[in-house]
Amino acid sequence: MILILSRSDDGSTNKIIDWLFLFGKKFIRLNGNKANYEIKRINNNEVIVSIEGNEINILEASSVWYRRNGFGHTSFEYTLSKNALKDVLKREIDQFYVYDQIRDEFRVIFEYINFLIETKIPNRLGSFFKREINKMITLYHAEQSGFQIPTSYILSKKEDLREKQGLVTKALKDGVYLLGKEYEYYSYTERITDEIVESTFESSFLPSLFQKEIKKKYELRVFYLKGEIFSTVIFSQQKATSAVDFRKDGHSIRYIPYSLPDDIREKINNLMTKLNHNIGAIDLIVDINDNYIFLEVNPGGQFSYYSDMCNFYIEKKIAEIL
């Protein structure tokens, strides 16, 4: 049996499940955002979940793929609500405190479940405990692995920002990705101009990541899968709308397979080994002088679009590993 931890809205998971059906493999999929199961009991030897009336010990799985967080408070049919605390605690500030305490209780439970999964299931792809990436620490390790990296600053004062020229800014952690029925919010890498500095920034602002803008020849999306590397070249400089962040106009530019130099492949392998990741999406830039510049790695990064554009069949390969 194969265990898949994901979300109900993850299309890449659906594609891999198609291959598992073709291979005739048994699997269970646990969705953390909209639980399709109920957790019945947990101890050191079993995590029993009920799916469509059947009780299954997920620790008996032979393989597990951590795609997304597969567990949430709805796994216990429990509604985490501040309103339930109003009859117990008079002050709203106390209600928020207890709400946070309850959330921490759940966090311990889910960490424990994922610890058991990663301890007892022999064949693992991805990791709950490696899902969070610190971009700045990753840049440090990338440089130690021999990569060139962008000149980076964390700034919070307008006067310091005025002294720098030719910068872009991006999120230190995950960018904004919020979808509603009538609206969508996204954040991108943005170029910083003098006009933006003067019109947008207060004298002090939230500490933010700024990097020297690199004059690109093109960009690369590299997918790493247990030592195997799939590289796509993104011709982001074809249009002004995609030049700074290709995602702004990503469907109108070219993507083709790309052969990385051996030394860059070695650096990628060394970095992913150092970070203890066996799967992940890596972003690189090739500048106008043909230097390879490392940007970041995302263990849960998207790959299906690039797989389809370049006929990599990554979903099939993941299904085969599982």
Side-chain angles (χ1 to χ4, degrees):
M1 178 184 71
I2 297 167
L3 173 62
I4 298 175
L5 305 176
S6 188
R7 290 175 52 93
S8 60
D9 55 0
D10 185 68
S12 296
T13 302
N14 298 337
K15 291 185 176 184
I16 288 162
I17 284 175
D18 288 342
W19 283 104
L20 294 177
F21 273 120
L22 182 64
F23 295 154
K25 297 297 183 179
K26 293 182 179 180
F27 67 90
I28 59 171
R29 172 180 181 170
L30 305 185
N31 296 320
N33 61 322
K34 295 180 180 179
N36 56 331
Y37 62 94
E38 181 184 358
I39 296 176
K40 290 294 189 179
R41 59 187 180 274
I42 310 165
N43 59 54
N44 283 347
N45 298 308
E46 60 181 14
V47 177
I48 303 297
V49 302
S50 176
I51 301 178
E52 297 180 348
N54 298 314
E55 292 195 355
I56 301 170
N57 181 8
I58 61 175
L59 299 185
E60 293 179 350
S62 58
S63 298
V64 58
W65 178 35
Y66 181 90
R67 172 62 177 164
R68 297 282 188 265
N69 193 3
F71 302 100
H73 63 268
T74 56
S75 309
F76 292 93
E77 295 187 352
Y78 174 82
T79 301
L80 190 58
S81 172
K82 297 183 182 71
N83 293 330
L85 301 173
K86 289 182 178 179
D87 295 334
V88 179
L89 300 165
K90 301 296 184 184
R91 298 189 308 166
E92 186 176 7
I93 189 171
D94 295 333
Q95 296 165 17
F96 277 97
Y97 172 77
V98 175
Y99 178 82
D100 289 340
Q101 289 290 107
I102 294 171
R103 186 175 57 188
D104 287 344
E105 292 284 301
F106 273 110
R107 179 180 56 80
V108 171
I109 293 170
F110 299 140
E111 285 181 357
Y112 174 51
I113 293 173
N114 280 283
F115 167 78
L116 292 174
I117 287 171
E118 296 188 24
T119 299
K120 292 182 175 290
I121 299 178
N123 185 25
R124 300 181 299 278
L125 195 58
S127 169
F128 169 85
F129 297 99
K130 290 292 182 179
R131 73 197 190 284
E132 298 286 347
I133 284 290
N134 186 304
K135 288 183 181 179
M136 305 310 294
I137 294 175
T138 302
L139 284 171
Y140 174 87
H141 286 303
E143 189 173 39
Q144 295 298 305
S145 297
F147 275 111
Q148 293 187 46
I149 62 172
T151 302
S152 303
Y153 312 93
I154 296 176
L155 303 175
S156 62
K157 302 291 185 184
K158 180 186 277 191
E159 59 185 280
D160 294 329
L161 191 55
R162 284 193 183 111
E163 295 177 0
K164 312 296 181 185
Q165 296 293 322
L167 298 181
V168 296
T169 186
K170 61 176 66 172
L172 274 163
K173 195 176 181 297
D174 301 322
V176 175
Y177 186 79
L178 180 62
L179 307 181
K181 291 182 179 180
E182 299 178 355
Y183 57 84
E184 298 177 351
Y185 292 112
Y186 301 95
S187 63
Y188 299 99
T189 300
E190 298 287 355
R191 180 181 287 127
I192 300 298
T193 64
D194 291 340
E195 180 182 354
I196 288 174
V197 171
E198 299 305 327
S199 64
T200 304
F201 290 92
E202 301 291 337
S203 58
S204 296
F205 51 87
L206 181 73
S208 304
L209 173 61
F210 299 90
Q211 294 179 328
K212 281 288 187 182
E213 184 174 2
I214 298 167
K215 294 184 178 180
K216 310 172 193 173
K217 180 180 286 187
Y218 43 76
E219 300 181 47
L220 299 174
R221 168 56 65 97
V222 179
F223 191 72
Y224 180 90
L225 180 61
K226 284 199 167 182
E228 196 168 0
I229 293 173
F230 306 87
S231 305
T232 303
V233 58
I234 304 167
F235 292 102
S236 56
Q237 306 309 291
Q238 288 179 327
K239 292 191 171 186
T241 50
S242 61
V244 177
D245 191 324
F246 75 90
R247 295 172 299 175
K248 286 187 174 182
D249 199 7
H251 294 289
S252 64
I253 54 179
R254 294 175 61 212
Y255 303 80
I256 61 174
Y258 186 87
S259 181
L260 285 169
D262 289 342
D263 65 318
I264 300 300
R265 297 172 68 89
E266 183 179 357
K267 289 174 184 177
I268 289 172
N269 273 303
N270 290 341
L271 177 61
M272 296 300 276
T273 300
K274 181 179 293 185
L275 297 175
N276 198 23
H277 292 311
N278 58 17
I279 188 171
I282 299 164
D283 291 328
L284 304 174
I285 284 175
V286 177
D287 70 11
I288 57 175
N289 296 314
D290 292 324
N291 296 308
Y292 288 78
I293 316 294
F294 175 91
L295 295 182
E296 60 183 87
V297 57
N298 183 353
Q302 299 295 337
F303 56 86
S304 286
Y305 184 76
Y306 309 96
S307 179
D308 291 344
M309 295 295 287
C310 297
N311 294 317
F312 287 145
Y313 289 93
I314 292 173
E315 295 85 359
K316 178 183 179 184
K317 293 179 183 295
I318 290 176
E320 291 171 339
I321 289 172
L322 296 173

